[in-house]
Every structure is written in structure tokens, then in C-alpha cells.
Amino acid sequence: SDIPAIDPGEKTFQRAHELLAMGHIPEAREKLTTIVNIYPSSSSAPLARRIVGEINLDEVFSPLHMEGKSLHVVKPGDSFFGIAAKYDTTLGCMMKLNSMMTLKSLHPGDELLVMPLNFRLLLEPKRQALSVWNGGRFIREYLVEQMGEGIPTTAKATTITSKFAEYQGNNVPTTSANYRAADKIILIKNPPLQIRAITDDGEPLPGCILLQPYDMEEISLLTRVGNTIEIR
């Protein structure tokens, strides 16, 4: 009874910290992912989720990491919208992967890095957390800053039905020069919910899930219409 309790997640985290300090990123990520999956109640789990999420997201958007990505060679008649539809991705994601501030003219022979957006979202109202998964693999977690009334408390599966952006009260398309500065909004059906950035306007509206603005930008880049959202 006098022996102090040992947190196996904390021991694993200390080893992951050592590996990070030595530059062994894949090994460190494996340790951190173990904490996320095996020791979710560990005191180190929140920090482990944040660090492994940052590592994963760097990899997702890195042009040097080709897993899950393709190189599309532009052919006559190709358009950005057509390419995005072909690969189940979005213009915003294509612009991010190809370091494009605005859409440029396409010419046959041009090469574009594309990535299908087949991630799923997991919303956990009790933990006030929204996470991104690739199948059964954890990618990134975001803290929900505020949650309006009407969020289901029982397990439910739904989908993203629409995505749009607002700038100074007006909807703007991805091709607009104001798109990058616009507020991104994701609509969910059955039940009708919204994921959007938190503002200083007070209490969230019913059915609103509010994130930090920079987290909302990332979520918008990682999702498309049709993505599955699991609530539990």
C-alpha cells in the first residue's frame, strides 16, 4: 500500500520525449500513439495527443511525404474543379499542397499534388473534443471552445452536407481573393449542426460547435462534403 501508483502512460511519454530530443520522430510518434490508444486516461495523454497530432499534420501536408497523395499531370481540358472531383478533394487542399496563394492558369504538362480527403471526424461532446481519423489511425485532435444546445449525447453517425466561407457577411467562393481571410463553416445533417470559429459575440447558437479560428482553418482543409462524422 505504500508503493506509489505508476502511470504507464507517463513512462511511455518520458521515453517519447527522449526520442524526440534525439530526432527519432517515427519512434517517438509510435510511443505517443500508444499513449493515445492504450492509455487515454493517463495524465500525459492530452499532451501526447497534441504532439502526435502536430507530427501527423506536418506529414499530411508535406510534399515530401507521398503516402496517400498522387501527382496529377494536367491534360487538355482539365480544370481545378474537375481535378478536385476526380480525387475526392477540395480546391483549398490542392492550394495548400501546392503552395498556391491563388488559383493560376492550368497548362498541359503541369503537375499538381493531390490528396483524397477521406478522413472521418469524431466528435466527443463530453470531452469537448473533435478529432480527425484516417480509418482507425488518429491524425489530430482539436478542443471545442464552446458548444451550443442541441448537440446529441448518444452515439450517432452523420455526414458533412455543405461547406462554405463568409467574408464580411457575404459568402465567398474558393476562387475569391478574400477566401483565405474568410470564416470557414461546416454544416452537418441529421441533426443539423454547424462547426465554425468562435467569436466575441457571446453564447453560441443552438447546434454550433465552436473552435479556435486557426483550428477551424485546419479542419476546413482536411474535410470535404460527404465525410463521415461520428458522435459519441
Side-chain angles (χ1 to χ4, degrees):
S1 61
D2 295 331
I3 299 176
I6 298 175
D7 181 348
E10 177 63 24
K11 291 183 65 177
T12 304
F13 183 82
Q14 292 301 325
R15 179 54 181 157
H17 187 272
E18 294 170 2
L19 291 167
L20 284 172
M22 293 186 290
H24 301 320
I25 304 301
E27 295 87 345
R29 178 168 58 183
E30 182 179 351
K31 295 291 184 185
L32 294 167
T33 303
T34 297
I35 299 171
V36 172
N37 294 333
I38 308 299
Y39 309 119
S41 60
S42 168
S43 60
S44 300
L47 184 55
R49 280 192 289 268
R50 183 176 67 80
I51 295 174
V52 76
E54 291 173 356
I55 295 172
N56 288 342
L57 204 63
D58 285 345
E59 190 173 85
V60 165
F61 288 124
S62 172
L64 302 178
H65 184 82
M66 287 299 295
E67 182 179 350
K69 304 183 184 75
S70 302
L71 197 62
H72 176 83
V73 180
V74 175
K75 297 181 286 295
D78 275 352
S79 68
F80 281 106
F81 287 102
I83 295 170
K86 177 180 179 180
Y87 290 95
D88 285 337
T89 189
T90 63
L91 297 188
C93 182
M94 290 170 61
M95 291 171 69
K96 173 72 173 179
L97 286 175
N98 294 279
S99 302
M100 298 165 56
M101 297 296 290
T102 58
L103 294 179
K104 60 182 182 180
S105 299
L106 289 176
H107 304 282
D110 287 348
E111 294 182 341
L112 289 173
L113 196 59
V114 291
M115 177 176 66
L117 295 175
N118 294 323
F119 301 113
R120 65 181 177 90
L121 300 184
L122 172 62
L123 175 64
E124 299 174 86
K126 292 181 180 179
R127 289 185 55 235
Q128 294 218 175
L130 179 67
S131 51
V132 181
W133 295 74
N134 186 5
R137 180 186 169 219
F138 171 80
I139 300 295
R140 183 83 151 110
E141 181 175 274
Y142 303 94
L143 296 180
V144 176
E145 295 296 329
Q146 291 186 27
M147 197 173 292
E149 296 179 358
I151 308 299
T153 56
T154 56
K156 187 174 185 62
T158 182
T159 58
I160 294 176
T161 186
S162 180
K163 290 179 62 185
F164 62 97
E166 287 184 349
Y167 183 76
Q168 297 181 348
N170 298 313
N171 288 2
V172 295
T174 313
T175 53
S176 169
N178 295 321
Y179 180 79
R180 293 178 64 87
D183 297 323
K184 312 305 188 297
I185 300 168
I186 294 174
L187 300 184
I188 303 169
K189 69 174 184 180
N190 192 28
L193 304 174
Q194 284 189 22
I195 305 175
R196 60 191 305 159
I198 192 170
T199 65
D200 299 325
D201 296 338
E203 292 298 318
L205 295 173
C208 279
I209 301 156
L210 304 183
L211 309 179
Q212 286 292 341
Y214 46 82
D215 289 342
M216 190 63 220
E217 284 291 324
E218 287 186 0
I219 285 284
S220 182
L221 284 171
L222 291 167
T223 55
R224 61 173 174 83
V225 173
N227 282 153
T228 298
I229 299 181
E230 180 184 352
I231 304 172
R232 70 175 184 212

